Amino acid sequence: MPQSVLFVCLGNICRSPLAEAALRAAAEAAGARLLVDSAGTGDWHLGRAPDRRAQAVAARAGIDISNLRARQVGPDDFHRFDHIVAMDHENLAALHRLAPPEGRARLSLLLDHVPGRRGQAVADPYFGEAAGFDATWRDVTAGAQALLRLILGPG
Ligand code: 4NP
């Protein structure tokens, strides 16, 4: 079985779909087989496509994320995924509250995997300027590359 990664943010329409796209692209470029998905802790946007600004920043990187649909993270996810990776501390706290005691997923904060960025959050771009989505894309790309190195291991 390939290793599996679930990215989690609040709405599953901005940060986590971009992280999903970034890791999928990084894995493809490295010739690695990974299962990648994303979900939100909240339920306001269930079934919606990613925010247009998120779609636009992904499209500028040559990636179409228009087919993704928001879903909410649930208890089953802690059995299905090897890694569940939160975008910020609030998402991580929500995951710890939701985690069943026997769940196998390893929980972490995305930027904890990036050297020099331990403890930092991927800022929520939803209520900000469009340029915030460029910063989101840079953060999730750095996080995805670091996570891929961790998963593939040395060599
Ligand atoms: P995301 O961004 O968590 O990165 O998908 C947000 C999307 C929607 C809301 C907040 C953040 N909202 O409040 O509706």
Side-chain angles (χ1 to χ4, degrees), residues 9-17 44-45 87 91 123-127:
C9 62
L10 183 58
N12 193 211
I13 57 169
C14 299
R15 292 166 292 175
S16 62
W44 308 283
H45 302 282
M87 297 297 119
N91 311 147
D124 183 349
Y126 185 68
F127 293 106

Side-chain angles (χ1 to χ4, degrees), residues 5-20 23 36-42 71-74 77-78 81 83-96 98 105-111 121-124 140 147:
V5 180
L6 177 69
F7 291 108
V8 172
C9 62
L10 183 58
N12 193 211
I13 57 169
C14 299
R15 292 166 292 175
S16 62
L18 288 174
E20 177 183 349
L23 182 57
V36 189
D37 195 6
S38 66
T41 60
R71 73 171 181 90
Q72 195 171 20
V73 63
D77 289 314
F78 295 83
F81 289 90
H83 302 271
I84 302 184
V85 183
M87 297 297 119
D88 67 27
H89 303 83
E90 187 188 343
N91 311 147
L92 186 59
L95 288 170
H96 280 295
L98 196 62
R106 274 201 255 164
L107 307 187
S108 63
L109 193 62
L110 179 65
L111 292 179
V122 178
D124 183 349
V140 300
L147 202 53

